[in-house]
């Protein structure tokens, strides 16, 4: 069985949608995820279709995934620590890392 990790923004998405939406919005969920090399599944975004334009949702999920890759593979952060960050925090951490001499 694979591990499933929800990023902080994905958890926020679920909170924003709310538990009552599950019974009202059938078969109209959009879940953006990726499967890592270790076969774990990272849920990047969860939303009801129509809440935002598809292009906007995919652009945000792509940005989240790009920042996560940088922090995991370049900075060396643990996947769980990166998953707890929202996009702004991840971008700030990447900027801070880039500003230091290496």
């Amino acid at each position: 069985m694979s591990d499933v990790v929800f990023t902080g923004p994905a958890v926020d998405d679920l909170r924003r949608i709310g538990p009552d939406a599950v019974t009202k919005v059938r078969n109209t969920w959009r879940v953006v995820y990726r499967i890592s090399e270790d076969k774990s599944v990272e849920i990047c975004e969860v939303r009801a279709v129509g809440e935002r334009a598809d292009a906007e949702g995919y652009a945000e999920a792509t940005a989240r995934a790009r920042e996560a890759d940088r922090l995991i593979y370049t900075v060396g952060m643990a996947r769980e620590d990166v998953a707890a960050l929202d996009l702004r925090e991840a971008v700030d951490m990447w900027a801070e890392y880039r500003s230091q001499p290496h």
Side-chain angles (χ1 to χ4, degrees), residues 31-68:
V31 178
V32 180
Y33 67 95
R34 65 182 175 168
I35 301 173
S36 66
E37 289 180 16
D38 67 358
K39 304 298 183 211
S40 64
V41 178
E42 182 178 27
I43 307 297
C44 301
E45 182 173 1
V46 179
R47 63 189 169 97
V49 172
E51 186 175 323
R52 289 190 283 181
D54 281 347
E56 180 186 349
Y58 288 124
E60 184 175 335
T62 299
R64 289 178 186 176
R66 182 177 50 251
E67 293 305 320

Side-chain angles (χ1 to χ4, degrees), residues 6-20:
F6 285 80
T7 63
V11 173
D12 290 342
D13 292 342
L14 289 172
R15 288 184 181 127
R16 185 173 43 256
I17 292 169
D20 295 336

